Amino acid sequence: AQSVTQLDSHVSVSEGTPVLLRCNYSSSYSPSLFWYVQHPNKGLQLLLKYTSAATLVKGINGFEAEFKKSETSFHLTKPSAHMSDAAEYFCVVTSGNTGKLIFGQGTTLQVKP
Amino acid sequence: GAGVSQTPSNKVTEKGKYVELRCDPISGHTALYWYRQSLGQGPEFLIYFQGTGAADDSGLPNDRFFAVRPEGSVSTLKIQRTERGDSAVYLCASSEGTAYSPLHFGNGTRLTVT
């Protein structure tokens, strides 16, 4: 069965410093992996997706993630945090080929001025 | 263009009552998904439609939950004999239906059972 584990429930950074949100996955076959962001009172928005092409995936708003099969990881990074990045972030893996998504528990990103 | 629309945005009901939650997907999207998100948790899969048929309903917690999509567009999630534990945000998403199509989520319906 497919699953993801987000290693930190809460991450706090200062504005302008790098962001690292960690995610490990478990999959019985080559997975499709995603990061979604959820701002308060707004719908989930796709940040980026990995679908077995390039292992370094670039997304919106300066975020990127690297697929590392040897470490079963798909960590999300950004070189410099903005206040507007404060939100809940979900690491997601697909289950089968139906597009059904399995979500991690989420990481709350706090950005301090 | 218009995104996924969910109505109502908030619903408060008494324990034991019946509720219906509506989802209007993006026009032309063949796949439609329902998820449930409890406080402090990630969304949990409930059911997936491809066209009019439920292709995967393995996430429905019990037989009080039912969903339909009679014309392959709008979907309704129905909950009978609601319980306090049903309180959550119910999310709908739609996609073009291929394996790598991104899901587009609505803002959800917050259901509170008192």
Side-chain angles (χ1 to χ4, degrees):
Chain A
Q2 283 64 250
S3 66
V4 288
T5 301
Q6 292 184 244
L7 302 175
D8 307 291
S9 59
H10 188 272
V11 170
S12 181
V13 301
S14 297
E15 190 175 21
T17 64
V19 175
L20 170 63
L21 305 184
R22 299 182 295 164
C23 173
N24 286 353
Y25 70 90
S26 173
S27 178
S28 53
Y29 50 82
S30 185
S32 292
L33 293 158
F34 307 79
W35 278 95
Y36 278 81
V37 61
Q38 188 175 37
H39 288 91
N41 301 316
K42 292 195 175 180
L44 286 156
Q45 181 183 20
L46 179 66
L47 272 180
L48 50 81
K49 65 178 180 181
Y50 165 77
T51 56
S52 76
T55 57
L56 182 62
V57 182
K58 294 187 183 299
I60 61 172
N61 300 335
F63 284 94
E64 61 182 38
E66 186 172 7
F67 174 75
K68 291 187 177 180
K69 186 175 181 179
S70 60
E71 299 176 10
T72 61
S73 69
F74 190 58
H75 301 334
L76 181 71
T77 61
K78 182 173 180 176
S80 176
H82 292 175
M83 295 298 293
S84 60
D85 294 329
E88 189 80 11
Y89 290 80
F90 293 97
C91 183
V92 184
V93 65
T94 52
S95 175
N97 60 359
T98 63
K100 173 181 168 182
L101 303 180
I102 307 298
F103 283 76
Q105 295 288 78
T107 298
T108 302
L109 177 63
Q110 179 187 24
V111 182
K112 297 177 290 187
Chain B
V4 177
S5 175
Q6 291 188 247
T7 54
S9 54
N10 279 284
K11 176 71 177 178
V12 180
T13 191
E14 292 180 349
K15 179 176 178 296
K17 299 289 188 183
Y18 167 83
V19 296
E20 290 189 352
L21 311 179
R22 177 188 168 105
C23 173
D24 268 282
I26 292 172
S27 178
H29 279 189
T30 59
L32 186 146
Y33 305 78
W34 284 99
Y35 285 80
R36 177 169 72 173
Q37 186 174 20
S38 300
L39 193 63
Q41 303 291 317
E44 293 178 295
F45 170 79
L46 294 177
I47 186 170
Y48 154 62
F49 288 89
Q50 184 62 258
T52 60
D56 184 348
D57 64 358
S58 61
L60 294 177
N62 51 59
D63 62 5
R64 295 187 297 106
F65 288 75
F66 190 72
V68 296
R69 194 186 186 199
E71 298 179 358
S73 178
V74 170
S75 176
T76 305
L77 178 65
K78 308 179 181 192
I79 310 174
Q80 298 177 320
R81 306 183 303 280
T82 51
E83 299 177 357
R84 291 194 180 89
D86 299 335
S87 297
V89 176
Y90 290 81
L91 298 168
C92 177
S94 69
S95 80
E96 293 178 354
T98 62
Y100 301 133
S101 301
L103 270 63
H104 299 263
F105 283 84
N107 288 346
T109 294
R110 182 177 299 278
L111 175 67
T112 304
V113 182
T114 61

